[in-house]
Amino acid sequence: MLRPVICGVTWFRLVGSTLAALGILGWGMVWAGDPPGEWKVGTARVAITPEGPVWMAGYAARNRPAQGKQHELWVKGLAIESPHGKRVLLVTLDLCGVSRDLTEPLREEIAQTTGVGFDEVILACSHTHSGPVVGTNLITMYPLGEADRKAVEDYTRDLTRRIIQVSRQAVEALEPCQISWGIGEASFAVNRRENPERDVPTLRAQGQLKGPVDHAVPTLRVDRGSGGLAAVVMGYACHCTTLDGYEWSGDYAGFAQLELERRHPGTIALFFAGCGGDQNPLPRRSRALAEDYGRQLADAVDRTLQGPLTRLGPEDRLATAATTVRLDFAKVPDRAHWEELASSTNRFEAARARALLDRLDREGRLETSYPYPIAAWRLGGLTWVFLGGEVVVDYALRLKKERGSDSVWVAAYCQDVMAYIPSRRVLLEGGYEGVGAMVYYGLPSPWAETVEETIFQGIEQVWNRLDR
Ligand SMILES: [Zn+2]
């Protein structure tokens, strides 16, 4: 019984390919009639831990470059090919953030190198605060000297080369696999706007922690066709800010990846950050805690791996869509404002003002809005949304409420990390995520009050295209 089916598939593909090669049929027509094949997955990784002295990203209080490491930082690639031949690529980065001036050309180059579409390449940062400064990301935060800047530039150049290498290798490694998915839970993320850090142990013990959280642990399981766990992808909505020292580390997400790879030899573990813009791992500030949160995350993943899981079948489709929406700034002050602030005694205000004056000199104007990236993949019954920036938890909760919490995953810090992305509620409340952090990202003002609705309109557009 088996042989005729295999022969049939081979024959059909051969004829279809030949007709397509002759230009008689388009690929769509060939595939439309072709019995579906198999899902394929390819993975690759390379260490990106800086070798020389490079400044670390994420905290304004550090005053010197890193010294030593707790473990390697990684770029990891996961390519997926559907039974209909459509490909996507997820690249996870143990980095705090990357900017659009780096990632747009980088995604172009990955697309050219791999053949995966520009919109289908997702760059996802873990937001570890124990990774290096990259390119111009958060650059007004750090008092870098000339040699420090050069070290960041050299590192960034080498990093892009490694990201392209991993992307190419992941696609080259595509092999038949089984893909399944489920959602677990871990509870160490705390709403940092609502709970004073020192009170968290007591509040947790009393069940009195306040504010919205998203404790879901979306988990993708990849098994080789020949048997054995090939890869696991996990997400969690929480800042990687357990640690604030001078040693390189992926923070809890780095420890979770290590733990899963230790428990499942031969497996590659990848992490993506969810909408944890206003979430911290609390309490924090020790390696023991970072390891413990890593273990908690790995435990959540392992429980989910045991099932039940939803498995993608040969009839399931992979659909993708992406868009860019313009997020307006509340206001863009004129040159006189920035000239005055350039001599501010607040070094962050002064650095932002100088950066914006430079741009005014170069480009003659300041943008009044930002091109915000939104993408989504539909894998059978799962919709995986990818948002740029430090998105607060309200977005994931609203999206899951409107679209279904058991079939929607939301990744943030994707494509580029341009700023915090507050909900309307958080924006109006103010504070660091709503207003204060914009200075570190070198942006002229808080977002306009339309920020949340503009992003949800973009998600709606993307969703409608997935539904087609
Ligand atoms: Zn952050």
Side-chain angles (χ1 to χ4, degrees), residues 138-446:
L138 278 171
I139 204 73
T140 59
M141 184 178 266
Y142 319 110
L144 302 185
E146 202 51 44
D148 302 321
R149 269 179 204 281
K150 168 104 177 29
V152 168
E153 284 167 17
D154 290 347
Y155 172 76
T156 303
R157 208 173 307 114
D158 190 50
L159 172 73
T160 57
R161 193 178 55 73
R162 287 174 200 234
I163 293 173
I164 292 163
Q165 176 195 336
V166 160
S167 302
R168 194 188 65 243
Q169 288 172 347
V171 172
E172 284 171 358
L174 280 164
E175 60 171 335
C177 285
Q178 291 158 12
I179 301 174
S180 48
W181 58 276
I183 302 173
E185 196 176 315
S187 62
F188 60 86
V190 175
N191 190 302
R192 68 188 194 184
R193 293 170 61 84
E194 302 287 340
N195 302 281
E197 195 162 328
R198 65 181 177 283
D199 299 340
V200 164
T202 312
L203 291 170
R204 178 175 273 131
Q206 295 170 343
Q208 299 286 325
L209 287 169
K210 293 196 287 282
V213 294
D214 178 7
H215 284 162
V217 181
T219 303
L220 193 79
R221 175 182 180 127
V222 179
D223 290 280
R224 291 183 190 88
S226 52
L229 187 65
V232 56
V233 186
M234 66 190 140
Y236 195 54
C238 184
H239 260 71
C240 276
T241 49
T242 320
L243 300 166
D244 65 347
Y246 285 85
E247 290 179 323
W248 301 119
S249 157
D251 206 271
Y252 74 80
F255 284 110
Q257 293 172 65
L258 280 176
E259 181 69 10
L260 284 164
E261 289 169 1
R262 187 187 65 76
R263 293 181 191 177
H264 305 280
T267 296
I268 182 169
L270 300 91
F271 173 85
F272 68 90
C275 297
D278 49 352
Q279 311 289 310
N280 265 346
L282 298 177
R284 56 182 183 165
R285 301 306 186 217
S286 76
R287 177 173 173 145
L289 283 166
E291 288 179 346
D292 181 49
Y293 297 144
R295 256 192 311 272
Q296 288 186 39
L297 193 53
D299 288 346
V301 169
D302 266 339
R303 283 193 297 273
T304 304
L305 290 183
Q306 285 163 24
L309 296 169
T310 305
R311 181 167 154 188
L312 297 180
E315 304 296 336
D316 280 321
R317 297 189 68 85
L318 169 60
T320 63
T323 192
T324 303
V325 292
R326 299 292 316 195
L327 292 190
D328 291 331
F329 297 112
K331 60 178 184 299
V332 180
D334 62 10
R335 174 179 281 273
H337 175 84
W338 302 117
E339 281 172 347
E340 194 183 326
L341 275 182
S343 52
S344 167
T345 51
N346 178 322
R347 77 171 161 96
F348 308 113
E349 286 285 7
R352 166 172 70 170
R354 285 195 300 272
L356 293 177
L357 285 168
D358 277 353
R359 191 168 310 155
L360 274 168
D361 290 343
R362 265 194 333 267
E363 298 168 16
R365 59 190 285 270
L366 297 176
E367 292 284 347
T368 57
S369 64
Y370 188 91
Y372 180 79
I374 300 171
W377 298 350
R378 167 114 2 113
L379 291 148
L382 168 67
T383 307
W384 192 348
V385 178
F386 304 94
L387 302 174
E390 302 206 45
V391 187
V392 301
V393 76
D394 292 356
Y395 284 82
L397 297 178
R398 176 174 164 186
L399 194 49
K400 291 197 257 192
K401 187 173 170 201
E402 291 179 356
R403 305 280 184 176
S405 60
D406 52 359
S407 60
V408 176
W409 294 1
V410 192
Y413 302 87
C414 289
Q415 311 305 41
D416 69 284
V417 184
M418 72 302 289
Y420 276 85
I421 303 296
S423 57
R424 186 177 148 81
R425 171 184 74 81
V426 170
L427 182 77
L428 295 180
E429 284 174 8
Y432 186 73
E433 298 86 357
V435 174
M438 294 304 257
V439 64
Y440 300 114
Y441 280 102
L443 296 173
S445 81

